[in-house]
Structures are given as C-alpha cells and as structure tokens.
C-alpha cells in the first residue's frame, strides 16, 4: 500500500470512527440508558442532557490522558529511577537530579536558555510590533506582511538549513557562498569566519533564526490588535497636538499591552523548548547547548533515561508557570 493511500485510508477510518462513535453513543444514551418515555421521561431527558456533553468530551479527554498526562507521570517516574543491568529499574530518588546538577553541560544549557529567553522574545515582539505599525501605513502593506510571515510556513529544520548556508565559510581562495562571509570579505575582511564556532556569539547567530521565524507570528497578532484600537482615541490625540511617536507609545501601546504580553509569553514558551535549530546547526557544540538538546543527548545518545527524564521535567517546570499565566490572562481578556 502506498503512503498516500495509507494516509487517505487512515483519515477515512478516523472520520468514520468519530461519526460512528458520536451517533451510536447518543443512540445508546437516548434509547437504552435514559429513554424519553414512560413515567420518568422528564427525569431521563434531564439526565441524558447532563451526560451528553461528556460523550463529546470523552475522546479529547482520553487523548489528553494518553498522550499528555501519562507521558508526564511516566517521565517523572523515570527521573526517579535508573536502569538495572539485565532489565528493570531501581528507585534512586533525586540522584538523577543531583547528577544532572553536577554536570557543566547542564549549566551551559541553562545559561544559553536564559540568553535565548532574554533576546528572542524581546526582539521578535519588538520587530513584530514595528512591522505591524509600519505596514499598516503603506499601500502594499499586505504584500509586505505576506513576505514577513512566510518564514512561519518553514519548518525549524528547513530554516536552519537556509541560515546554515548564510553562515557558510569556504577557504579564502574560493568564492564564498555564505552571504555573511561574502559581505565580510567584500567590505575588507581578510579571512572568512566560521561564525557558528565562535563561543558566545554563535548563540546569537542561532537566535537570529528563531527571531526571523517568530517575527511573522508577532506581526500578525499585533497587527490585528492595532486595528482594534478605537479611531476616536487616535483622532483625539491628533487634535491635542500629539506627534506620531507620542500616539504610538502613549496611545496605541498601552491599549494593546495585554496582547503584547500574550505574544511575548507564547514566544517564551517556544524558546524554552527550542531544539531543532540547535540540533541542525551546531548539535550543541561550541558551547551552544540548550536544555532540549541536552535532554536528547542523554536519552538517545548516552542512553541515560534517568538524567534525560530529569532534564525533561526541568523543561516542563520552566514552561508550566508561563503557560498557566498565559491562559489566565487570556481568560481575563475574554471576560
């Protein structure tokens, strides 16, 4: 069976299975469990209406339990155990966390993640807000937005390959295919640089890739927020003699502050889980290690499931408070 046919068959089975589940479960509820007839018809109808929403929620709850809750519990268990030679596991408590905290690579990953958290959300949000404001003022703004949003359609690995070519370095006697080195040589540089091997600065070169991708996301959300600002407030500011900078920073930005924070925290969550870019471009070498790449190395290269699971729990603990705060703010905004 070809992959295309297999995919179509999977979709057909999945859709028909969902339709069959909802139809048969409702039939069972109305015809067998709580039939709307007899002396208790009214009570049966009320009971059926109380249970019916749970029939629709059950597949989602089951999927969340299977693919989210169970992996979290199992990862926590693995982080508190170690493999025993010959098979099985042995309880070791917090030993894996102690071992992880004693490794320099873990603290390198933590330090780099902090750098990413400081730079990427701030730059992506700032560039997205700037582009959203400027493109709303030009005739071909929608075309410009399409170009800036386009990197969002590229996978992280695909974007990494593109930027790896940008940073490419060839011997000095050869033509440089990397744009950065070509410009560097053109403006007087003597030797091409291997940009991704320069400690400290190479992390910023990697961050550029994620900023390039996330700016489009920030632009779309913030552009919608800017268009939702009442025109009356802007007109009143103009009549009071406010210049464009004052209108932007004192009128527009305060009114979309909540949206800016949501965009910021959403990008922050993405940054905490960043893996593809580092894996594809440096594989964590030259002091570019991040937490997700460290976890991958421990789990699938060192085959150390205990420490690898412990690092996964650290990532989850870092992401969870930001995610909860983001959801709470979204609910307040809806209210």
């Amino acid at each position: 069976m070809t992959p295309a046919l297999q995919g179509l068959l999977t979709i057909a089975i999945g859709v028909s299975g969902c339709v069959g589940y909802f139809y048969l479960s409702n039939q069972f509820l109305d015809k067998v469990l709580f039939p709307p007839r007899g002396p208790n018809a009214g009570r049966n109808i009320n009971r059926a209406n109380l249970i019916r929403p749970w029939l629709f929620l059950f597949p989602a709850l089951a999927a969340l339990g299977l693919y989210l809750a169970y992996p979290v519990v199992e990862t926590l268990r693995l982080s508190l155990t170690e493999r025993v030679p010959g098979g099985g596991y042995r309880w070791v408590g917090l030993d894996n966390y102690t071992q992880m905290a004693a490794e320099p690579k873990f603290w390198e990953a933590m330090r780099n993640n902090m750098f990413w958290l400081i730079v990427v959300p701030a730059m992506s949000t700032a560039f997205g807000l700037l582009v959203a404001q400027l493109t709303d003022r030009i005739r071909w703004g929608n075309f410009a937005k399409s170009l800036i949003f386009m990197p969002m359609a590229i996978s992280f690995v695909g974007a990494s390959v593109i930027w790896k070519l940008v940073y490419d370095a060839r011997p000095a006697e050869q033509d440089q295919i990397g744009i950065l080195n070509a410009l560097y040589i053109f403006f007087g540089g003597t030797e091409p640089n291997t940009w991704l091997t320069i400690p400290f600065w190479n992390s910023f070169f990697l961050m550029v890739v994620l900023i390039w991708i996330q700016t489009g996301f920030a632009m779309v959300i913030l552009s919608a927020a800017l268009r939702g600002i009442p025109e009356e407030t802007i007109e009143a500011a103009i009549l009071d003699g406010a210049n464009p900078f004052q209108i932007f920073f004192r009128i527009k930005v305060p009114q979309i502050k909540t949206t800016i924070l949501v965009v910021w925290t959403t990008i922050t969550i993405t940054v905490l889980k960043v893996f593809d870019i580092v894996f594809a471009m440096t594989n964590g070498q030259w002091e570019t290690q991040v937490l997700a790449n460290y976890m991958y190395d421990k789990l699938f290269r060192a085959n150390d499931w205990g420490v690898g699971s412990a690092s996964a729990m650290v990532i989850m603990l870092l992401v969870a408070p930001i995610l909860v705060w983001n959801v709470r703010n979204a609910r307040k905004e809806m209210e």
Side-chain angles (χ1 to χ4, degrees), residues 161-223:
V161 172
I162 292 170
W163 280 90
K164 202 168 185 181
L165 291 173
V166 171
Y167 299 138
D168 185 79
R170 297 293 175 91
E173 63 274 7
Q174 297 182 18
D175 291 334
Q176 298 299 318
I177 66 168
I179 297 173
L180 195 56
N181 269 316
L183 291 173
Y184 177 72
I185 298 296
F186 178 79
F187 286 107
T190 55
E191 291 287 333
N193 288 309
T194 50
W195 305 102
L196 295 179
T197 65
I198 305 173
F200 182 74
W201 295 109
N202 50 9
S203 291
F204 290 97
F205 291 131
L206 297 180
M207 293 177 203
V208 169
V209 183
L210 192 53
I211 293 170
W212 181 62
I213 295 172
Q214 293 298 319
T215 295
F217 162 75
M219 175 201 66
V220 170
I221 305 299
L222 296 173
S223 180

Side-chain angles (χ1 to χ4, degrees), residues 139-165:
R139 188 184 306 170
W140 45 277
N142 289 333
F143 176 71
K145 285 180 181 178
S146 300
L147 291 178
I148 294 167
F149 185 74
M150 196 175 295
M152 283 291 295
I154 304 173
S155 69
F156 281 11
V157 173
S160 301
V161 172
I162 292 170
W163 280 90
K164 202 168 185 181
L165 291 173

Side-chain angles (χ1 to χ4, degrees), residues 57-89:
L57 288 173
F58 175 75
L61 293 175
L64 284 173
L66 181 62
Y67 296 109
L68 184 63
Y70 170 72
V72 169
V73 173
E74 182 65 10
T75 302
L76 177 61
R77 184 188 71 81
L78 288 172
S79 72
L80 301 173
T81 61
E82 69 174 3
R83 282 185 168 184
V84 177
Y89 294 89

Side-chain angles (χ1 to χ4, degrees), residues 112-124:
N112 286 331
N113 266 96
M114 291 303 107
F115 285 150
W116 282 71
L117 285 175
I118 293 169
V119 175
V120 175
M123 298 300 291
S124 299

